[in-house]
Amino acid sequence: MRVRHASALSWIPLAATFAAAGLAAQEGRPLELQDYYRLKDAGSPAISPDGSRVAYVVTSVLEEENRRHSEIWLTAADGSGEPMRVTSPSFSASSPRWTPDGSHLVFTSNRPGPDGSSAGSTWFLRMDQPAGEAFQLEGLGGSPTFSPDGQWIAFTRPTPPGPPPQPTYASDFERRTVERFDGRTYDWMNYRFDRRGYLPDPRDPNATPPREVYVLPAEGGEPRQLSDLGVDASGLAWSPDGQRIAFTADAHQRDEHSYERSDLWIVNLEGEVQRLTDDGYNYSSPAWSADGARIVARGNEGLDIVIAEARDRGAPNDLFVFDAATGTRVRNLTAEWDLIPGGPEVSADGRFVYFSAGIRGNTHLFRVAETGGAVEQVTEGDRRLGSFSFSGDFSRMAFRVTAPTEPGDIWVSGPGAGAEVRLTDINRELLAGIGLSTPDRLLFQSPDGTEIEGWMLPARGYAEGQGGFPMVLQMHGGPHGAYGNTFSFDQQLLAAQGYMVLFTNPRASTGYGEDFRWGTWGGWGFNDYDDVMAGVDHAIGNYDIDTARMGVTGYSYGGYLTNWVITQTDRFAAAIAGASISNWVSDYAVADIPRTKESEFYGPPWEERGLEHLLRSSPLIHAKGVSTPTLFVHGEYDHRVPIEEAEQMYVALRKQRVPAKFVRYPESYHGGWTPWRMMHRMWVQLEWWEEWLRRPSTSEQ
């Protein structure tokens, strides 16, 4: 028996009003591919210290310019008045935050500065008087973190140790030969990374200058360097008395054979540095207790330990409390809590530590007493909340909300169970005329009895007993990610085109506890395959699905699982594999993150145990007899899943005379594609589904 949820925003005050609006919208026109260019998104809220105003970012697509554009808007936190744009529409702006006294709004923009540079520079706007022109602060060379009293700014910036040595040549001929070379030479291992391309030498501080900690008077001037570690400092956090700065840094950063294991450090205004931890853990997001005696940080055992001990699962993430004087770990706040906490924020009164986390298909705010105890869930509902921003006294917070029929918008409330106020509805006019589909939540069992959660997004016009509908099974990336109650243009577009859309959270998904999260360790394609196929069977048993017209698709890990599915079953009439892995052995040395293979597959391919697990989970090894027509889509600059992975599977299908098509996108990484390429990808995928899952004509119904 299927369970259909109520209106996506039925949890809010005035629920009846929104429910009625939702019903009216479902009678509108179907979502169109062109709507991709029309939809906007609101995010990155920043509430003012006094809780009276909220700045946020509105992102839209500029079709003719083939780019995304962002602007910062401002509105009253009580929902009164009209929002106003505060940054120039001529340049993108993002990452708003307030100075401690609320007198200025700080943001990042690509607008050119006085020196002509425009690479994400920091700008200031006065907010305590009629708005003027944005300005920059003399001496500020990075993202600012203000001391609690607003007198100082801390930031990090690249700091070369000195001028690099000049090359010497034995002859003028040798010099000409070297200077005419237009290729690349590497003698280091980590030489490329997705969306960053080919990298300079990470071992050489002249090639990759370390980000050291600096302080600057709030009015600007000459910055003063505080740290000299030779590695990157990040996560700066001022102590309540404004005399110390906590941060994280990985002392092993220059060792190319070490995975991340950042430690906690403190530096005072005199430049005295204290290392708090050195235990093999990887820490991030330090936050001070209200009295400045302790530091709360997120951490997990480093991957080097997991690999060295050949563990059968990864390390859990937890929130730890440390003594700020000695570095002694005082307590683990989430030891008995089975989910993954985000970065901590300590309330103004010091009582609670707040953080966000995924829980099943939702994302919510949680808190735990700084002294320890049970974790409490603060927000509720079938929705995903994020980007929490708190007023100075923690009496009010702003956050982003998304739900299956609601693209991102900004809301405010108290940090407890107070009434929530919606501040933005930026797609109101567009969505008022569009009929979106609301998903049904599904619970079903995998063959071994494990409970799996999924959702069915009904096709436009779907009604039981009306006749078989085509269905598309979508599988998420990661694998340590999760589908859920969020807006998906791609899924809504498929439903508008008449497809039932099934999406599930198989084992390895997050939000279901540590056992579930590591449920594919040592064997991708086994438990997860059983889980998604159990979802297919459940859907067939509860919906009017035409089993001859089912498709399967996914991107990244979902693309891998698509390749795996078509080697295991012929139940699908078509498939689309996006950024898909087919051969774990070849992927090991060409992808930018070998860590997954070394940990979840127990080693590299030159070790017997590693080779065994890599091969048995490689779709290419099982490709004999594949019969499913498959479309492959891939970015040619993808370093996370290099395009040669899709090339292998494509050739395997074509060699066996299976219909297959390969669409390659130039200068495109694993993510961050341009709007035109995203539009073409969605269009070509619809064409593929139409060709192989073609709906019966009216006379056939």
Side-chain angles (χ1 to χ4, degrees), residues 92 287 299 425 600:
S92 280
D425 193 0
E600 300 204 28

Side-chain angles (χ1 to χ4, degrees), residues 250-283:
D250 182 359
H252 302 266
Q253 176 183 320
R254 304 289 179 189
D255 179 0
E256 62 179 345
H257 296 284
S258 173
Y259 286 118
E260 295 88 346
R261 45 159 299 184
S262 289
D263 284 296
L264 294 174
W265 306 69
I266 291 177
V267 62
N268 63 24
L269 294 181
E270 285 69 49
E272 298 170 334
V273 176
Q274 176 188 4
R275 183 173 184 169
L276 290 185
T277 64
D278 185 11
D279 54 8
Y281 274 63
N282 187 39
Y283 295 107

Side-chain angles (χ1 to χ4, degrees), residues 145-154 213-215 224 226 237-247 265-274 288-293 295 324:
T145 301
F146 285 84
S147 61
D149 61 8
Q151 299 301 304
W152 294 93
I153 297 174
V213 181
Y214 288 77
V215 291
R224 180 161 50 91
L226 293 185
W238 284 91
S239 61
D241 62 5
Q243 299 301 304
R244 296 166 292 169
I245 302 168
F247 63 95
W265 306 69
I266 291 177
V267 62
N268 63 24
L269 294 181
E270 285 69 49
E272 298 170 334
V273 176
Q274 176 188 4
W288 291 83
S289 63
D291 60 5
I295 293 174

